[in-house]
């Protein structure tokens, strides 16, 4: 008998020590609107619950072992490295130069052929005019 009464008192203390259910039910609409506030009809409206009270309610909820669905989704971390851009792309430029230098004899031959063809076409055009 005494064990049951102690257990019921402990349960009552635990329930009323952290009245999360009542607080969450009370501020459910307000918490779902965002962390800082929301736009309504073109005007910014701050939340009716202060950030301090919201943070305390969040902490109590998480300490009680329940989930907190009202946090916004986290953004992806930036992957941009610090430093100078020319230091980062120098190796790519060197690799590209090596590749282009291997193609250089063919590129020169193509250039010479195009130049020769242009010259021949111009000479043919002059000869046909005369």
């Amino acid at each position: 008998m005494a064990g049951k009464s102690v257990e019921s008192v402990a349960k009552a203390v635990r329930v009323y020590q952290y009245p999360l259910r009542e607080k969450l039910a009370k501020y459910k609409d307000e918490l779902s609107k965002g962390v800082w506030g929301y736009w309504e009809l073109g005007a910014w409206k701050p939340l009716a619950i202060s950030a301090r009270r919201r943070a305390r309610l969040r902490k109590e909820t998480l300490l009680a072992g329940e989930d907190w669905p009202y946090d916004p989704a986290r953004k992806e971390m930036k992957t941009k490295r610090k430093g100078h851009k020319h230091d980062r792309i120098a190796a790519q430029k060197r690799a590209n130069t090596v590749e282009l230098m291997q193609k250089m004899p063919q590129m020169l031959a193509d250039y010479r052929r195009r130049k020769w063809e242009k010259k021949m076409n111009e000479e043919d055009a002059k000869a046909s005019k005369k």
Side-chain angles (χ1 to χ4, degrees):
M1 208 63 180
K4 286 185 177 181
S5 63
V6 169
E7 186 177 304
S8 65
V9 169
K11 182 178 179 186
V13 167
R14 191 172 352 118
V15 169
Y16 290 108
Q17 186 176 6
Y18 297 107
L20 296 174
R21 301 267 185 238
E22 292 85 13
K23 288 180 185 178
L24 286 175
K26 181 178 178 183
Y27 295 115
K28 179 181 177 187
D29 295 334
E30 206 59 30
L31 291 170
S32 64
K33 291 177 181 174
V35 178
W36 300 282
Y38 56 97
W39 287 97
E40 183 178 305
L41 300 175
W44 178 257
K45 298 224 175 189
L47 294 180
I49 182 173
S50 71
R52 182 175 55 88
R53 290 179 64 190
R54 182 187 185 283
R56 177 173 281 167
L57 182 60
R58 179 182 184 275
K59 183 178 177 183
E60 288 176 0
T61 304
L62 293 175
L63 283 174
E66 298 182 23
D67 61 331
W68 183 258
Y70 304 112
D71 281 339
R74 292 235 172 194
K75 292 183 180 177
E76 187 175 320
M77 288 185 64
K78 293 182 180 178
T79 57
K80 186 175 179 182
R81 296 180 218 99
K82 291 191 173 188
H84 297 285
K85 183 178 179 181
H86 63 85
D87 291 335
R88 291 195 304 270
I89 64 172
Q92 294 173 353
K93 284 186 173 183
R94 284 193 295 271
N96 190 29
T97 303
V98 168
E99 183 181 324
L100 289 174
M101 289 305 289
Q102 290 173 351
K103 294 179 183 177
M104 187 60 69
Q106 182 62 38
M107 291 169 70
L108 287 172
D110 291 343
Y111 171 73
R112 287 186 190 119
R113 184 181 45 79
R114 283 194 313 268
K115 193 172 179 182
W116 181 80
E117 287 175 354
K118 183 179 177 184
K119 183 179 177 184
M120 289 296 127
N121 288 338
E122 287 175 359
E123 287 179 4
D124 289 342
K126 283 183 184 177
S128 65
K129 280 187 177 180
K130 289 184 181 180

